[in-house]
């Protein structure tokens, strides 16, 4: 059996080949899997379930069909879709997965996280993260009119793009000490995450154990990758190439 993991698809609310390819993935390779883990930032900007359910009906129906076919589907929040909630879970059949979570993937305990929590050098982002994950802030946001919510989200996305041009690559990557602490605290020797858009595999020796950190790829112009994990190992698969 296989377990598939993917993140950072950034599906827009408008028509897009990214969306078509995600549907192809859900109706194709995902059907043969034991489980599918969506590790955040599947959506470009999720401003609440009511709006999301109205815009992403095809994706939600395809996720439901997948879970009804017996494939377990898990959704972890990213920094752009942290407002995905219970209504999405009920409509799609996906289970919301806390960030971080330790799960057994094909016989091996693995820590799954979107990845932004590990970017502790990005002080401005971490401050924004604490603010935007605050229950009172979210409660207030959910009560403003839909058009204003969308305008704020667009403004935040533009602000984020311009903020990133002013931040160094090092600041926007994971912090090594945060990574080592994460391996130790959770007693795992494998972490899988996305967010940084730097697909790679890193190894480090911690307490005499070789630990592995697999970074998922974001979906971009000519690549739509997911990670396929079996008991024998893992590989990246690009559905754009198939
Ligand atoms: O997402 P990406 O890859 O561009 O960059 C991220 C960090 N940026 C973000 C912001 C998101 O992209 C915006 C998502 C909108 C979601 C829906 C709206 C919900 C609003 C809910 C309010 C409760 O996460 C970026 C990191 C980068 O990753 C690399 O790790 O650097 O961080 C930033 O750009 C944040 C800035 O550094 C600080 C921003 C302060 C903004 C303060 C505005 C306050 C307005 C309040 C409105 C409610
Ligand atoms: Mn992200």
């Amino acid at each position: 059996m296989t377990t598939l993991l993917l993140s950072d698809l950034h599906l827009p609310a408008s028509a897009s080949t990214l969306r078509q390819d995600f549907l192809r993935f859900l109706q194709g390779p995902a059907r043969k899997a034991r489980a599918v883990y969506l590790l955040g930032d599947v959506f470009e900007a999720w401003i609440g379930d009511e709006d999301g359910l109205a815009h992403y009906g095809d994706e939600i129906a395809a996720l439901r069909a997948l879970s009804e076919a017996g494939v377990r589907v898990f959704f972890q929040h990213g920094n752009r879709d942290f407002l995905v909630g219970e209504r999405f879970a009920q409509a799609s059949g996906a289970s919301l997965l806390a960030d971080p979570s330790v799960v057994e993937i094909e016989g091996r305990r693995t820590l799954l996280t979107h990845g932004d929590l590990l970017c502790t050098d990005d002080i401005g982002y971490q401050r924004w993260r604490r603010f935007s994950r605050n229950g009172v802030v979210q409660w207030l946001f959910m009560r403003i009119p839909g058009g204003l919510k969308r305008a704020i989200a667009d403004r935040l996305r533009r602000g984020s793009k311009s903020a990133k041009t002013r931040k160094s690559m090092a600041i926007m990557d994971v912090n090594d000490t945060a990574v080592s602490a994460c391996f130790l605290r959770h007693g795992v020797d494998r972490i899988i995450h996305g967010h940084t858009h730097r697909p790679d595999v890193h190894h480090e020796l911690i307490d005499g154990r070789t630990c592995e950190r697999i970074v998922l790829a974001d979906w971009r112009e000519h690549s739509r990758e997911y990670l396929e994990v079996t008991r024998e190992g893992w590989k990246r698969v690009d559905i754009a190439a198939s």
Side-chain angles (χ1 to χ4, degrees), residues 133-152:
R133 303 293 174 103
N134 179 292
V136 178
V137 172
Q138 294 190 359
W139 186 88
L140 288 169
F141 184 78
M142 293 325 290
R143 270 148 195 86
I144 62 176
L148 185 56
K149 276 195 208 133
R150 176 55 61 193
I152 291 174

Side-chain angles (χ1 to χ4, degrees), residues 45-47 79-80 82-83 122 124-125 128 131-132 137-138 141 152-153 156-157 160 163-164 167 172 195 197:
W46 191 272
I47 57 171
N79 55 293
R80 301 189 197 179
F82 57 86
L83 289 177
D122 196 341
Y125 169 68
W128 159 250
F131 172 76
S132 57
V137 172
Q138 294 190 359
F141 184 78
I152 291 174
L156 286 166
R157 288 293 307 121
S160 182
K164 286 198 292 186
K167 293 181 194 177
M172 291 189 290
H195 180 67
H197 308 174

Side-chain angles (χ1 to χ4, degrees), residues 191-204:
I191 293 177
I192 301 178
H193 72 84
H195 180 67
T196 59
H197 308 174
R198 291 176 223 201
D200 209 339
V201 55
H202 304 266
H203 294 101
E204 64 174 303

